Amino acid sequence: MTTTNLRLRFCHVAVALLLSLLPSSALAEPTDSLVRFETTHGNILVRLFNDTPIHRDNFLKLVREGFYDGLLFHRVIPDFMAQAGDPASRNAPAGKALGEGDVGYTLPAEIAFPRHCHLRGALAAAREGDEVNPQFRSSGCQFYIVTGRKYNPYNFGKMRQTAETKTGIAYPDSVVEAYYDHGGTPWLDGTYTVFGEVLEGIEHVEDITYVERDTADRPIYDVRIVRATIVRQ
């Protein structure tokens, strides 16, 4: 069975023990929206959370319009994440700086920590930095998929103190254990909206993050979303 969905579901604190007993196929509800990305490195199936409806509906709208078809993963970092969704990347020449493209609007934050957190496989919205975006509003189109790394009590403790001081969030023990077991990017919790998770194909995301890249973390050889399709909505 696949394990990525189980990993992210550890963030659902109230049902963590129950979910650990279920096969991954049982973790996607019949009402969940599913989107498949066909990429040059393999297919990635994602589930969109119903309790982040603004991000869910916007993402589905863009997929229906074919917005993501042909776009690049324009920023990839090993043990961190793969980012896509810049419309300027569709026909971008080699070496062009990417990451500033948008659709002319942003989305209000729908941060639901600790129910949704940045464990490996999390699908989250990119955004402008804190200094110009104190409300943590999300990009209307750019997203990233977390790969991250595993943590231990020493390095998680240092990060935890900084994060809790900055955002006021508190890490439940079940979430801490999930970061120890499965990894992720916990320092982003509380400031970025996580609105989905990878159900299948996290290994392809890992592969994408390890391609050769330039000094701006753009892959030297294009990694492209060939097509995005709604599997279920």
Side-chain angles (χ1 to χ4, degrees):
M1 75 175 182
T2 59
T3 59
T4 302
N5 191 27
L6 181 58
R7 291 168 180 169
L8 289 203
R9 280 304 196 98
F10 271 98
C11 283
H12 300 249
V13 179
V15 293
L17 292 178
L18 174 62
L19 290 174
S20 69
L21 302 176
L22 296 177
S24 62
S25 59
L27 297 179
E29 299 295 334
T31 57
D32 290 340
S33 298
L34 305 179
V35 171
R36 176 177 291 111
F37 288 106
E38 300 172 35
T39 83
T40 51
H41 278 61
N43 293 347
I44 304 164
L45 180 68
V46 299
R47 165 188 177 239
L48 307 181
F49 297 141
N50 288 326
D51 57 359
T52 52
I54 297 172
H55 286 71
R56 177 200 63 199
D57 293 349
N58 180 70
F59 200 72
L60 291 172
K61 171 183 175 290
L62 293 177
V63 172
R64 281 194 296 269
E65 294 172 351
F67 175 85
Y68 291 112
D69 298 355
L71 298 190
L72 302 180
F73 281 92
H74 64 268
R75 182 170 178 249
V76 303
I77 302 175
D79 302 322
F80 182 20
M81 59 89 219
Q83 183 172 340
D86 182 347
S89 72
R90 180 172 283 107
N91 299 305
K96 178 182 178 180
L98 297 170
E100 298 300 321
D102 60 40
V103 286
Y105 60 84
T106 59
L107 304 175
E110 294 182 289
I111 297 168
F113 182 87
R115 191 165 61 253
H116 305 315
C117 54
H118 282 81
L119 287 170
R120 182 174 183 264
L123 171 68
R127 65 172 178 82
E128 294 288 341
D130 296 359
E131 65 281 358
V132 296
N133 182 24
Q135 295 179 321
F136 305 147
R137 292 184 67 90
S138 300
S139 166
C141 55
Q142 292 198 39
F143 66 89
Y144 58 93
I145 299 174
V146 171
T147 55
R149 62 187 180 89
K150 290 186 179 181
Y151 281 78
N152 58 49
Y154 174 73
N155 56 23
F156 190 87
K158 294 176 64 176
M159 182 286 311
R160 180 180 190 172
Q161 183 176 14
T162 301
E164 291 183 343
T165 299
K166 177 181 178 181
T167 65
I169 64 174
Y171 284 89
D173 290 343
S174 59
V175 173
V176 175
E177 291 296 328
Y179 277 120
Y180 292 169
D181 292 340
H182 308 296
T185 57
W187 70 89
L188 299 179
D189 288 334
T191 58
Y192 287 77
T193 296
V194 175
F195 66 96
E197 62 188 356
V198 173
L199 295 181
E200 299 173 4
I202 189 62
E203 69 276 14
H204 302 314
V205 183
E206 292 275 7
D207 290 343
I208 289 169
T209 66
Y210 279 95
V211 300
E212 186 179 2
R213 55 205 168 97
D214 63 20
T215 55
D217 296 316
R218 176 180 169 178
I220 298 295
Y221 303 102
D222 289 345
V223 180
R224 193 174 300 277
I225 298 171
V226 178
R227 182 172 62 172
T229 56
I230 298 173
V231 176
R232 185 175 70 203
Q233 68 178 64

